[in-house]
Amino acid sequence: MSLIELDAVAKSWGSTTALQSMNLRIEPGSFCVLLGPSGCGKSTTLRIIAGLESPTSGSVRIDGQDVTQLPPARRGIAMVFQNYALFPHLSVAQNIGFGLAVRKVPKAEAAQRVAQAAELLGLAPLLERRPAQLSGGQQQRVALGRALVAQARVCLMDEPLSNLDAQLRQEMRTELRELQQRLGLTVVYVTHDQAEAMSMADQVVLLHQGRVEQCAPPRDVYAAP
Ligand code: ADP
Ligand code: ADP
């Protein structure tokens, strides 16, 4: 059994079809990249895996369980977006620990998990700063930290590096990939950037008009857009 299994998933809104008959298998601990042009269905796929949207038909299972049947807190999914979604009035520590505070994780344990994530991400000296006092790369790390402390089974990322300048984006690709391997995270990563997909993925899922056109390791991907 794969960790994430989509079977014949379709999604439409009225006459707009975002996904048609999508099958997908994602293995635990792998880095899967959904690649394709704007409008091909990447974000919809992520939102369906997260259980934020229900498929019109088909099934989505994580670890064998139907995502739509699980309450949000038990899905074990963290999401990282391109705009970071940090709270400007909260410190770095509070931003990383926000979900833990909401879920009433005991303070001592929350503080320990926040400190651990901060250490891992090189944010330890910055815990008391506000997001506005951080660089783009540091803000990106805070968003990652929030996903890490949630100890999610799956981390979904929607173009998380697209707001960074070219050099920082390059550095963060390597950093993110190292972190993912070190922690054994399962990542589903959305991008329209072919070079990014090729340099990061274990498995590239090439989408075209709501269908999986190819699904292969980077070296075996042919005729990418
Ligand atoms: P991508 O992430 O690859 O750019 P999306 O998954 O966002 O593509 O969108 C796929 C298609 O579904 C597009 O045609 C888009 O306009 C449409 N779509 C996405 N979300 C909605 C929505 N909430 N209502 C109607 N159409 C939508
Ligand atoms: P509360 O508002 O409940 O008193 P805070 O807003 O101070 O809690 O903190 C929110 C989250 O951030 C908590 O999980 C807390 O453990 C964590 N946190 C706050 N400051 C630090 C810090 N300096 N180092 C590590 N974790 C911190």
Side-chain angles (χ1 to χ4, degrees):
M1 189 175 68
S2 303
L3 182 61
I4 303 175
E5 301 185 333
L6 276 67
D7 279 300
V9 168
K11 179 69 182 179
S12 39
W13 290 272
S15 61
T16 305
T17 299
L19 300 178
Q20 11 188 353
S21 192
M22 173 176 257
N23 299 307
L24 190 58
R25 295 282 180 275
I26 298 174
E27 302 308 320
S30 69
F31 199 106
C32 174
V33 176
L34 305 181
L35 173 68
S38 179
C40 71
K42 303 182 295 295
S43 297
T44 303
T45 305
L46 269 200
R47 293 175 60 77
I48 282 180
I49 294 173
L52 298 172
E53 302 272 5
S54 294
T56 308
S57 59
S59 73
V60 182
R61 287 184 306 275
I62 297 188
D63 217 2
Q65 294 175 297
D66 184 335
V67 169
T68 58
Q69 303 297 316
L70 285 173
R74 300 212 20 236
R75 289 178 195 148
I77 288 174
M79 288 190 84
V80 180
F81 301 99
Q82 63 176 279
N83 55 11
Y84 318 131
L86 302 182
F87 298 109
H89 59 294
L90 298 183
S91 68
V92 166
Q94 289 168 328
N95 266 286
I96 295 176
F98 186 79
L100 302 179
V102 169
R103 283 190 282 136
K104 311 241 186 291
V105 171
K107 282 201 174 203
E109 185 193 335
Q112 193 190 358
R113 276 158 69 173
V114 168
Q116 243 168 21
E119 192 62 45
L120 208 57
L121 292 163
L123 293 170
L126 307 174
L127 280 172
E128 302 306 325
R129 290 211 195 165
R130 310 277 144 185
Q133 299 168 304
L134 301 176
S135 70
Q138 290 165 341
Q139 290 183 38
Q140 183 54 49
R141 273 175 264 230
V142 176
L144 276 171
R146 188 189 285 167
L148 293 185
V149 293
Q151 299 177 334
R153 289 183 290 187
V154 178
C155 195
L156 306 179
M157 304 190 177
D158 198 345
E159 308 235 11
L161 308 184
S162 60
N163 283 339
L164 304 178
D165 67 51
Q167 180 173 350
L168 193 53
R169 191 158 64 230
Q170 191 74 47
E171 288 168 16
M172 288 296 294
R173 282 178 191 168
T174 309
E175 200 175 299
L176 185 54
R177 187 62 187 160
E178 280 171 8
L179 193 65
Q180 175 266 336
Q181 286 177 329
R182 188 137 45 99
L183 299 177
L185 282 176
T186 306
V187 172
V188 188
Y189 186 103
V190 160
T191 185
H192 61 267
D193 183 331
Q194 190 183 337
E196 188 160 288
M198 296 305 164
S199 69
M200 296 182 85
D202 290 317
Q203 179 188 23
V204 177
V205 178
L206 188 60
L207 298 183
H208 181 67
Q209 296 182 351
R211 291 179 185 281
V212 176
E213 202 162 72
Q214 291 180 55
C215 179
R219 66 175 179 279
D220 294 336
V221 173
Y222 57 91

